Amino acid sequence: MVLQLLSLLDNPDVPLKRVVDLLQVDLELSGELVRVANSAWYGFVQRIDSVKHAVVVLGVENVKRLALTVALNQVAGKFRGYDNLRSCWDHVMASAIIAEELAVDLGLSKDRAYTAGLLHDIGRLALLVSYPVEYANLIEAAREQHFDPLERERQLFDIDHCEAGRWLAEHWNLPADFAQAIAEHHQPAAVEKSLTPLVRCACRLADCLGFSAWRVEAKEPVAEVLAGLPLRNRAQTEEDLGPLGEKIREALQILRTAPQMGK
């Protein structure tokens, strides 16, 4: 289902019926989508009672990204029992919400920014699903010893999560700018209006706000991270990031109440 959703992500002209038909095939996914659409995350007074109704109320683009969020949250449920791994999903969601916020000041698409943030650690999610015990041990060691996690990934799995993400993005035929942002989100990026520096900054800001995948206290000042983007109103954006942490925690709490896959 995740792959089928990805095929719809960058197609603004996808027919409404195709989106609804795809989501209705998976009863677990569609039920969870409706539940989240009715949550405080969206805050609608009107009760949403079906996928089709959600599309009408939220719009196609919102439903596509919500469906991808729910689908990836279901995948994350496979390692929900490992305490050390929950921070990885928290970091992904935080990065997506922050990327959406930054996109407003940059004049970029909020939907594409959110989706790129959501997918930036897809390589790590793949490693987590494949090696949950080993990755949980890696995170525990990273917290205690403060080593380079990318290098340790290469030692343990012969690939780091950035390269794994690049391979998946190309294999799934994701847009080229998505693939670049996924592959290079830990590399220095030019100060420009594009997805790669946006995602890189969102990832670092997630750490600053306390949503690090490694649960290591971030030392970077927020202002220093924001310097990597050509923001129109840097001071206002920095101020807006303050209350964003609570929004992220609320979204995570809503998603955590989802039933585990197969239950």
Side-chain angles (χ1 to χ4, degrees):
M1 178 60 73
V2 173
L3 295 182
Q4 291 170 298
L5 286 170
L6 287 171
S7 70
L8 303 180
L9 284 179
D10 216 44
N11 181 4
D13 300 319
V14 61
L16 170 62
K17 185 177 186 301
R18 185 181 172 197
V19 176
V20 173
D21 288 347
L22 172 60
L23 296 176
Q24 288 179 333
V25 167
D26 189 326
L27 296 180
E28 183 180 7
L29 175 63
S30 59
E32 181 61 9
L33 187 151
V34 170
R35 182 189 72 82
V36 176
N38 280 301
S39 70
W41 193 356
Y42 285 92
F44 286 106
V45 176
Q46 181 183 10
R47 178 75 182 175
I48 295 173
D49 54 18
S50 68
V51 171
K52 186 174 182 179
H53 191 192
V55 172
V56 172
V57 174
L58 301 178
V60 175
E61 293 306 314
N62 271 328
V63 167
K64 284 196 292 186
R65 75 179 200 171
L66 175 57
L68 183 61
T69 302
V70 169
L72 289 177
N73 186 58
Q74 289 180 334
V75 173
K78 292 184 177 181
F79 53 80
R80 193 172 289 158
Y82 298 89
D83 290 340
N84 286 342
L85 300 183
R86 293 176 186 171
S87 59
C88 295
W89 176 244
D90 292 356
H91 175 77
V92 166
M93 279 300 303
S95 298
I97 292 172
I98 293 169
E100 178 184 38
E101 182 73 23
L102 295 175
V104 175
D105 198 334
L106 291 170
L108 298 175
S109 166
K110 292 171 56 178
D111 290 324
R112 296 191 89 246
Y114 177 92
T115 302
L118 196 66
L119 293 174
H120 86 282
D121 263 353
I122 195 67
R124 175 178 285 151
L125 294 182
L127 292 175
L128 288 172
V129 171
S130 300
Y131 308 102
V133 175
E134 294 86 346
Y135 213 97
N137 292 336
L138 186 156
I139 289 178
E140 183 65 25
R143 290 170 58 191
E144 295 175 355
Q145 302 173 27
H146 306 286
F147 55 70
D148 180 358
L150 292 178
E151 180 58 33
R152 187 59 60 90
E153 286 174 346
R154 297 183 198 108
Q155 294 172 359
L156 291 175
F157 312 117
D158 294 324
I159 193 171
D160 62 50
H161 71 270
C162 298
E163 282 304 310
R166 181 200 296 273
W167 185 89
L168 289 171
E170 293 174 351
H171 184 68
W172 293 339
N173 294 316
L174 294 185
D177 56 347
F178 276 43
Q180 181 181 18
I182 290 168
E184 300 178 9
H185 68 272
H186 283 304
Q187 298 178 18
V191 179
E192 59 184 21
K193 292 184 181 180
S194 68
L195 280 182
T196 298
L198 169 62
V199 168
R200 181 173 184 266
C201 287
C203 175
R204 292 163 64 193
L205 288 169
D207 293 349
C208 292
L209 294 182
F211 299 97
S212 170
W214 309 101
R215 294 183 183 172
V216 176
E217 183 179 353
K219 302 296 184 182
E220 282 188 297
V222 170
E224 183 177 312
V225 178
L226 291 178
L229 293 173
L231 296 167
R232 294 176 295 193
N233 193 334
R234 195 176 309 277
Q236 184 62 53
T237 298
E238 183 173 354
E239 182 178 337
D240 292 342
L241 287 173
L244 204 57
E246 184 58 33
K247 178 180 178 180
I248 293 167
R249 282 185 283 273
E250 289 175 358
L252 288 169
Q253 184 57 41
I254 289 167
L255 290 170
R256 282 197 184 104
T257 61
Q260 292 191 30
M261 292 181 69
K263 299 237 177 152

